[in-house]
Amino acid sequence: MSVHIMVFDSGIGGTTVLEQIQALIPNADYSYFMDNALLPYGSQSQQTIIDRLLALLCFIESRALQVDILVIACNTASTSALEAIRPYTNIEVVGVVPAIKPACAISKSKHIGLLATPSTNKSRYTANLISTHSQGTRVSLYGSTTLVEIAEALFHTQILNEAKLAKVLSDLAIAEEIDVLVLGCTHFPLLASAISNYYKQRIILIDSGKAIAKRVESLISLRGFTFTTGKKKPLHYYATAPICHSQLSVELITLTDQIPRGNH
Ligand code: DGL
């Protein structure tokens, strides 16, 4: 069996990370799990997100899905719950966090923006990340859950609501001198070209997708996970609420609150 990588998000945002991982590691087996019943995670409490991730671990365990690497492709879940769930599992868990460090490194104006969900912006994890990596660079925070809705709609209908996007960006009033904007939500790369056009390509947009793919690649070699040459398993999608998408077939599942047996 090839290494099994499960990518998790509240919705379809994690597919932007999945794409980067698949491009780098084409021979792994993949599954994708979206907890869309509670979308957006940006409006959930930290405890609710921790409970959902623990329930996800129980689901993986109860189905014996043999997940080797679980990628929490959601900045909101990673910044608020990753450390809390690690003790409950032997699975390698990889999180995504906003790309503050590389953004500060390339900013010429020394003023960057973080565009994320309100929960990511409020989290202690994000505050620590900024204070550790932003020396000499000002970081302004901009929060939106409407952008998550716009990205979801674009993915499912292939139609971008440009007027709604322009309204959100105009209301955010991103400071003029900002030259790098961190896309600190995995949904936002789906809107990257539209956001870039809105700012007339004046702002560099940066996300964590490629860095996560590299992290997964190094974890595979570090842990000695292997690949088989036979036929690859098709990508399996799980969702906690029905979705309307013409091409995607998903298995609908229910997450029930419980504490995983794990190794805690
Ligand atoms: N995609 C998620 C993230 O990276 C959050 C979207 C949501 O609020 O559910 O933060």
Side-chain angles (χ1 to χ4, degrees):
M1 261 194 340
S2 285
V3 58
H4 176 185
I5 302 169
M6 176 182 273
V7 177
F8 170 89
D9 183 36
S10 54
I12 47 71
T15 58
T16 63
V17 177
L18 173 68
E19 256 173 39
Q20 300 288 349
I21 306 174
Q22 281 179 312
L24 197 64
I25 313 159
N27 293 328
D29 284 333
Y30 289 94
S31 53
Y32 187 86
F33 192 113
M34 56 188 119
D35 187 13
N36 52 336
L38 264 71
L39 184 82
Y41 265 25
S43 322
Q44 303 295 344
S45 72
Q46 181 175 17
Q47 193 54 52
T48 301
I49 297 173
I50 293 173
D51 291 345
R52 296 301 277 187
L53 290 181
L54 291 177
L56 171 72
L57 293 176
C58 287
F59 169 74
I60 292 171
E61 210 175 89
S62 68
R63 288 278 196 100
L65 294 180
Q66 317 287 0
V67 173
D68 298 301
I69 301 176
L70 174 62
V71 179
I72 307 294
C74 174
N75 291 264
T76 310
S78 297
T79 53
S80 59
L82 199 67
E83 294 317 316
I85 65 146
R86 274 194 206 283
Y88 291 93
T89 183
N90 291 320
I91 298 172
E92 294 290 349
V93 184
V94 176
V96 301
V97 291
I100 298 293
K101 192 179 175 185
C104 289
I106 61 169
S107 171
K108 293 206 170 66
S109 67
K110 293 294 155 206
H111 186 178
I112 69 161
L114 167 59
L115 182 56
T117 66
S119 332
T120 297
N121 285 346
K122 270 194 303 219
S123 78
R124 194 148 16 106
Y125 192 101
T126 301
N128 288 340
L129 195 69
I130 292 173
S131 69
T132 312
H133 296 296
S134 68
Q135 276 87 0
T137 299
R138 183 169 164 207
V139 183
S140 297
L141 307 182
Y142 301 94
S144 172
T145 47
T146 313
L147 288 178
V148 175
E149 278 169 35
I150 297 171
E152 284 282 327
L154 172 63
F155 184 90
H156 293 300
T157 65
Q158 278 79 53
I159 297 165
L160 173 65
N161 189 333
E162 290 188 44
K164 200 168 173 184
L165 177 71
K167 168 91 174 74
V168 173
L169 296 177
S170 150
D171 289 350
L172 287 174
I174 288 179
E176 274 287 315
E177 65 174 21
I178 285 178
D179 61 347
V180 183
L181 186 62
V182 177
L183 301 182
C185 168
T186 54
H187 279 76
F188 299 169
L190 291 161
L191 305 172
S193 59
I195 295 175
S196 184
N197 287 342
Y198 181 87
Y199 295 110
K200 310 216 168 0
Q201 279 74 37
R202 191 177 48 78
I203 301 182
I204 298 170
L205 304 179
I206 182 162
D207 66 68
S208 317
K210 282 205 169 72
I212 298 309
K214 288 212 180 93
R215 169 80 189 119
V216 172
E217 187 185 43
S218 71
L219 204 55
I220 288 174
S221 69
L222 200 70
R223 295 280 174 264
F225 291 127
T226 52
F227 301 95
T228 46
T229 46
K231 208 164 166 280
K232 251 169 61 67
K233 285 209 202 111
L235 173 57
H236 193 93
Y237 285 89
Y238 301 93
T240 55
I243 62 159
C244 292
H245 191 284
S246 51
Q247 266 126 53
L248 221 61
S249 96
V250 303
E251 180 182 345
L252 206 54
I253 68 112
T254 304
L255 283 184
T256 38
D257 282 4
Q258 45 184 308
I259 301 289
R261 281 182 287 115
N263 64 341
H264 56 288

